[in-house]
Amino acid sequence: MLEKYIEKELISEQEIKAQVKKLANIITEEHKDHDNVLLVGVLTGAFIFTSDLMRELDIPCVVDFISASSYGSGTESSGNVVIAKDIKESVRGKHVIICEELIDTGNTLQALKRWFARQEAESVKICALLNKEERRQVDIHSDYPVIEIPNEFVVGYGLDYAGKFRNYKCVCVLKKEVYEK
Ligand code: 5GP
Ligand code: MG
């Protein structure tokens, strides 16, 4: 049913699973002596990535979610990022890992990184699954390996179009007709 809207698959379910496992192994090794790791998923897109990553981690950790929105023209991200919903957990003294499914301009993560650094986190790292390098506007990068994708609008694995299509297990490009409706 849902498959009929897909123009092309960019990243398969298997590739995503392998990458999540790889990231989890690196983070587990890095934090094997820590019991104060806080995963912060960036809503809404990163809810699937954050939960899949957490289940592969072999260390005690806490999860929370934050929501940031940028005010700009339409769907384009702008530099004016505000925190729309903060986390409930205290950040002080924690090893914070911000989980983001895709870095585009980098504006959101730049604002979030500054937000957590101000709250005296022990460390603040960015863990992103996907990266659109050519779209970057600010000096922000994932602290772990990423899957590079071309400059195309993608959906799936948490990423939406008009709130839908987050439930694809792969990352894909939609058929043009979907946007013309
Ligand atoms: P940034 O602040 O890096 O420009 O924006 C990052 C967020 O915008 C991503 O984490 C994602 O939620 C959303 N975004 C950026 N590019 C795309 C895209 O191609 N498709 C979808 N569905 N969301 C995107
Ligand atoms: Mg996102």
Side-chain angles (χ1 to χ4, degrees):
M1 270 268 281
L2 253 192
E3 236 185 79
K4 68 180 177 197
Y5 303 108
I6 299 180
E7 173 73 34
K8 64 176 172 200
E9 181 179 292
L10 287 185
I11 314 294
S12 70
E13 182 186 357
Q14 290 72 22
E15 277 176 89
I16 295 170
K17 274 193 177 157
Q19 185 73 7
V20 169
K21 188 113 188 80
K22 178 171 154 183
L23 292 170
N25 289 344
I26 298 171
I27 293 171
T28 296
E29 179 58 29
E30 183 178 63
H31 292 289
K32 61 177 191 277
D33 300 323
H34 300 150
D35 65 353
N36 52 350
V37 172
L38 172 61
L39 296 183
V40 178
V42 185
L43 291 172
T44 303
F47 79 110
I48 294 175
F49 173 52
T50 307
S51 50
D52 282 354
L53 181 70
M54 187 179 191
R55 284 180 297 178
E56 293 294 342
L57 290 177
D58 198 15
I59 44 168
C61 56
V62 170
V63 69
D64 205 337
F65 290 90
I66 195 163
S67 178
S69 36
S70 67
Y71 293 103
S73 54
T75 54
E76 278 290 296
S77 160
S78 79
N80 304 321
V81 177
V82 295
I83 308 298
K85 186 204 97 61
D86 198 2
I87 58 170
K88 293 195 185 110
E89 294 292 326
S90 161
V91 160
R92 202 191 178 120
K94 305 265 173 71
H95 290 285
V96 176
I97 301 172
I98 308 173
C99 303
E100 177 67 295
E101 78 291 351
L102 166 63
I103 312 182
D104 188 40
T105 64
N107 287 321
T108 308
L109 281 172
Q110 186 182 57
L112 289 178
K113 213 175 167 183
R114 285 180 181 159
W115 176 256
F116 289 122
R118 275 203 300 269
Q119 297 174 53
E120 295 174 58
E122 179 73 25
S123 67
V124 181
K125 292 247 168 122
I126 291 170
C127 181
L129 179 69
L130 308 165
N131 189 41
K132 279 187 199 171
E133 189 64 34
E134 63 172 287
R135 292 264 307 158
R136 200 72 89 254
Q137 292 174 1
V138 290
D139 183 23
I140 276 288
H141 58 87
S142 185
D143 291 295
Y144 306 96
V146 285
I147 299 175
E148 293 292 341
I149 60 165
N151 183 10
E152 287 190 80
F153 187 81
V154 293
V155 299
Y157 200 68
L159 290 155
D160 73 308
Y161 168 63
K164 295 183 186 140
F165 307 105
R166 294 191 198 273
N167 48 331
Y168 283 129
K169 290 175 182 162
C170 63
V171 171
C172 55
V173 175
L174 291 173
K175 286 182 178 153
K176 281 196 188 69
E177 303 93 88
V178 180
Y179 305 113
E180 286 157 6
K181 270 187 192 164

